[in-house]
Amino acid sequence: MHRKELAQILEQTLMAQPIKDFCPNGLQVEGRAHIKKVVTGVTASQALVDQAVALEADALIVHHGYFWKGESQAITGMKKRRIEALLSAGINLFAYHLPLDIHPQLGNNAQLAQLLDIEIQGPMESGPSSVPVWGRLRTPLSGQAFADKIAKVLSRTPLASLVRDEVIETVGLCTGGGQGYIDLAASLGLDAYLTGEASEQTIHSSREQGVDFFAAGHHATERFGAKALGEFLAREHHLDVTFIDIDNPV
């Protein structure tokens, strides 16, 4: 398909336009006009770009792209090498940040909730574009049992602050760097809160407000949206799509 058609499909699917974000969503680096082979991944790191080049991809679709608010606008050093590799190979770079977190079916939150048997009930914030969501465990679990389930699903042991004796029934969820929402989870009376990262103050919030807390890794919790989006493109639009996971311990 033509690059413009893919851009339109992604925009219509992820409904990115009205979402306020920290980076531009959509086509960030323009490559060749016609697209057959697509690579998806979490972050447009040099390692992922190099693999896309090796596979002779026409487009790379990621969750973490370039041109973040607050970063230097100069295209030098690491950024220059990444963009130069894309341009030299004619690869289009599409990036979707918050739209790929919050999509109700393909998004990181929705995909992780499905894997962990959490039935999403609704947003934690008011408005249609809430980044964190909350849900109910289909089978209530103790804090340790839920930590064990996370470890099995994500193949990494989460950092856990287990402060309650009762089983977990309700869970707040925000993949990636969403540790700041733990206070919102507490104010909503949720039993637990799951995200990717933790800050020093997060553990104090967990202990003092009685919310079990789990940090399962920024990368580990955000692997599933890009993969699901690629599977959607392959299934519905017959593109050749390969998901590549560049491991990241954070």
Side-chain angles (χ1 to χ4, degrees), residues 64-85:
H64 300 136
Y66 306 150
F67 312 115
W68 297 88
K69 290 181 181 178
E71 74 174 23
S72 172
Q73 296 182 35
I75 300 177
T76 60
M78 178 177 70
K79 187 190 295 184
K80 178 257 186 184
R81 291 189 294 272
R82 292 173 173 182
I83 294 174
E84 184 177 48

Side-chain angles (χ1 to χ4, degrees), residues 1 22 51 92 151 155 185 217 219 222:
M1 67 175 62
F22 309 101
Q51 291 212 32
N92 297 276
S155 299
H219 176 87
E222 295 195 327

Side-chain angles (χ1 to χ4, degrees), residues 106-236:
L106 303 176
N108 288 316
N109 287 339
Q111 290 290 313
L112 184 58
Q114 181 177 335
L115 289 168
L116 293 174
D117 296 319
I118 300 170
E119 292 183 348
I120 293 179
Q121 302 296 302
M124 287 174 58
E125 299 175 303
S126 61
S129 299
S130 174
V131 179
V133 296
W134 75 279
R136 296 183 181 276
L137 283 174
R138 290 187 175 90
T139 301
L141 298 170
S142 69
Q144 187 57 59
F146 189 47
D148 293 343
K149 186 179 185 71
I150 294 168
K152 183 178 181 180
V153 168
L154 298 183
S155 299
R156 64 171 284 156
T157 302
L159 184 156
S161 172
L162 305 180
V163 298
R164 302 168 64 257
D165 295 327
E166 301 86 356
V167 295
I168 296 171
E169 296 185 20
T170 57
V171 182
L173 171 64
C174 180
T175 62
Q179 61 267 46
Y181 292 112
I182 188 173
D183 296 329
L184 179 57
S187 73
L188 295 173
L190 301 178
D191 299 331
Y193 181 64
L194 167 64
T195 187
E197 299 185 20
S199 298
E200 190 272 345
Q201 64 267 28
T202 315
I203 304 305
H204 297 299
S205 289
S206 166
R207 292 170 178 169
E208 295 176 31
Q209 299 184 88
V211 178
D212 285 343
F213 172 76
F214 305 87
H218 194 132
H219 176 87
T221 58
E222 295 195 327
R223 285 178 293 179
F224 306 105
K227 186 173 186 291
L229 179 60
E231 291 169 350
F232 163 79
L233 292 172
R235 181 176 64 251
E236 300 295 330

Side-chain angles (χ1 to χ4, degrees), residues 1-7 10 27 31-39 57-61 90-94 233 237-241:
M1 67 175 62
H2 195 277
R3 176 182 60 245
K4 291 182 179 179
E5 183 181 357
L6 177 57
L10 291 169
L27 181 63
R32 63 180 61 93
H34 294 282
I35 295 171
K36 293 182 180 180
K37 176 66 180 177
V38 177
V39 167
D58 304 304
L60 176 59
I61 304 174
I91 298 175
N92 297 276
L93 175 65
F94 293 88
L233 292 172
H237 299 282
H238 312 295
L239 286 168
D240 179 4
V241 183

